[in-house]
Amino acid sequence: MTAAIEALVDAVRAALRDRAPRLAAAAATALHDLATRAFVDADEAAAATYHGLVWDLHADPDHRTYPLRLWLVQAGYAVEEACVPPVPPKPALGPDDLLARLAAEQQQRGGLAHPLSQHMFHGDPTAADLAIYLRHHWHRSRLFYRELTELALTCPLRHASVLHRNLHDETGGEDSERAHPFLLQRLLRHLGVPHGFHDRPELPEAQAYLNNRIRCARHPNRAWGLAVLYSLEAGTPAAHGNIYALLQRFGVPDDVREFHRVHMTADVEHARETAGLIGELVTSSEDQATLVASLRYHRALGRRYFDAIWREIQATR
C-alpha cells in the first residue's frame, strides 16, 4: 500500500473512530478518491485496498457507526456504478418477454461452465479442493439474509412481503436452528472447514463480488437489487444439486448435506417469485436496461471470483 493510499484509508478510519462531522466529510472525499483510483484509473493496489475497506465498512457490527458507514460508502458506490458497462435502452418489454431475456442472460453467464465448476463437479477434486471451495461458499452464503433485508427496505409493502417470505425461509421459519447459515455450518463443522460469522474473505475478488451485492440491494432503483437476487435464486438449484452430488461422492452423510438439499428445490420458488416482482416493478425501458446491466456486472464479478478460487486451488497442488 502506497503512502497516498494509506492516507485515504486512515481518513476513513479516523471518521469512524472519532465520529466528528469535519472528519466525516473528509472521509467521504477520501473514499471517493480511493474508488476513483480503483475504478477509473484501474490501479490494482487501490482496488484491493478499496474492496477490503468497503467490506470492513459493511461488516462492522457497531450500531453506533452504522448511519455514518451507510453514508460513507455511498461515495464509493457512486464511482463504481458510473463505471458499470451500460446497456442501451430498448423499447420496454412486457413481463414475459423481459423475463425470457433475463433468463437467457443468466444462462449465457452462469458459472457451471467455469473451469472451477467443471473440476469440482466433473473432475477429480481432492478433499483440500473441496475445503477451499466450501470456505468460499460460506462467504457467499452466510450474509444473504442481510441483503434480502436491505432490498426489502426500498419496496412497497405488497412487494416487500414476497422478499419477507424468502427471508422467512432463509432464517429458518419458525425454527431459528434451521436457518440456512446454520445448516451450512453443520456441513462445514463436519468437514473441519472454518465457519465463523465474522470470518473475513481475504481475496479482493471475493470482497468486490460481495460488496456489489450489498450496493445493489441498497440501491434506490430496485432494478439493481432485483437483478442480483434473480441471478442468485435462478442459479442455485442446479449449483446446489451438483454440490449435493459432489458431497455424496465424498461420503458426507445425508443429514449433513441438508443445506444443499433444501436449496435444490426451495430456490425454484424463490426465483419464480423474484421474476414476478421484476415483471411488476421493472417496466420502463431505462429500468429494464439497468436490470440487464446489473445482472451482467454481477455475473462478471462472480466469474472473476471463480477465477481467483480456481487459481487458489491450482496453487495448492
Side-chain angles (χ1 to χ4, degrees):
M1 186 188 305
T2 66
I5 291 176
E6 187 172 4
L8 296 175
V9 174
D10 288 345
V12 175
R13 299 207 183 281
L16 294 177
R17 186 171 56 250
D18 297 338
R19 287 179 283 162
R22 62 179 179 81
L23 294 179
T29 300
L31 195 58
H32 178 276
D33 291 349
L34 184 58
T36 300
R37 290 173 179 244
F39 296 107
V40 179
D41 300 338
D43 182 326
E44 291 187 6
T49 302
Y50 171 83
H51 293 309
L53 178 60
V54 172
W55 166 264
D56 292 340
L57 292 174
H58 287 157
D60 189 337
D62 188 348
H63 66 278
R64 298 169 301 174
T65 62
Y66 178 79
L68 175 58
R69 288 183 286 109
L70 184 63
W71 179 74
L72 281 176
V73 291
Q74 303 298 326
Y77 290 170
V79 177
E80 180 171 12
E81 181 183 332
C83 293
V84 173
V87 172
K90 295 182 178 180
L93 298 173
D96 291 344
D97 290 336
L98 175 61
L99 295 173
R101 182 182 182 189
L102 206 59
E105 292 279 351
Q106 173 72 12
Q107 180 67 27
Q108 182 180 352
R109 292 169 172 79
L112 291 179
H114 192 280
L116 171 66
S117 299
Q118 292 296 308
H119 170 69
M120 296 303 299
F121 304 145
H122 306 294
D124 189 24
T126 66
D129 297 343
L130 179 64
I132 292 172
Y133 183 85
L134 291 176
R135 177 166 55 80
H136 289 287
H137 196 41
W138 173 244
H139 293 320
R140 294 195 301 276
S141 300
R142 61 189 165 93
L143 297 179
F144 178 57
Y145 73 95
R146 288 189 182 179
E147 295 162 22
L148 284 172
T149 302
E150 297 269 13
L151 183 56
L153 290 175
T154 68
C155 282
L157 178 59
R158 183 164 64 87
H159 301 106
S161 65
V162 175
L163 299 173
H164 288 155
R165 284 198 294 276
N166 194 334
L167 181 62
H168 183 263
D169 288 348
E170 183 69 17
T171 55
E174 304 306 319
D175 181 2
S176 62
E177 292 303 311
R178 294 189 56 75
H180 292 177
F182 293 155
L183 296 181
L184 182 53
Q185 275 187 323
R186 184 195 305 170
L187 168 66
L188 302 181
R189 190 177 299 114
H190 176 83
L191 295 172
V193 176
H195 51 268
F197 272 95
H198 298 295
D199 290 351
R200 186 181 192 273
E202 294 302 327
L203 290 178
E205 294 85 354
Q207 296 162 352
Y209 168 81
L210 294 167
N211 287 342
N212 182 66
R213 282 174 36 171
I214 297 173
R215 180 188 69 82
C216 291
R218 289 176 169 177
H219 202 287
N221 183 341
R222 289 180 289 268
W224 285 98
L226 288 174
V228 172
L229 179 61
Y230 172 82
S231 182
L232 292 171
E233 299 291 17
T236 52
H240 284 272
N242 278 290
I243 298 171
Y244 188 83
L246 172 64
L247 294 170
Q248 187 175 32
R249 285 166 52 194
F250 275 89
V252 177
D254 287 349
D255 63 319
V256 181
R257 290 184 285 152
E258 186 174 6
F259 173 81
H260 293 95
R261 180 181 58 77
V262 166
H263 285 80
M264 289 162 56
T265 55
D267 284 346
V268 173
E269 176 64 14
H270 293 321
R272 186 191 66 78
E273 290 188 327
T274 303
L277 281 180
I278 289 170
E280 288 189 45
L281 293 172
V282 186
T283 57
S284 73
S285 60
E286 293 78 11
D287 286 350
Q288 290 181 1
T290 296
L291 184 82
V292 175
S294 178
L295 186 143
R296 289 180 180 178
Y297 188 60
H298 164 73
R299 295 307 317 168
L301 290 175
R303 182 171 183 87
R304 289 176 205 158
Y305 186 12
F306 268 33
D307 288 345
I309 300 171
W310 183 224
R311 288 195 299 269
E312 184 178 347
I313 286 176
Q314 290 175 307
T316 64
R317 294 177 168 246

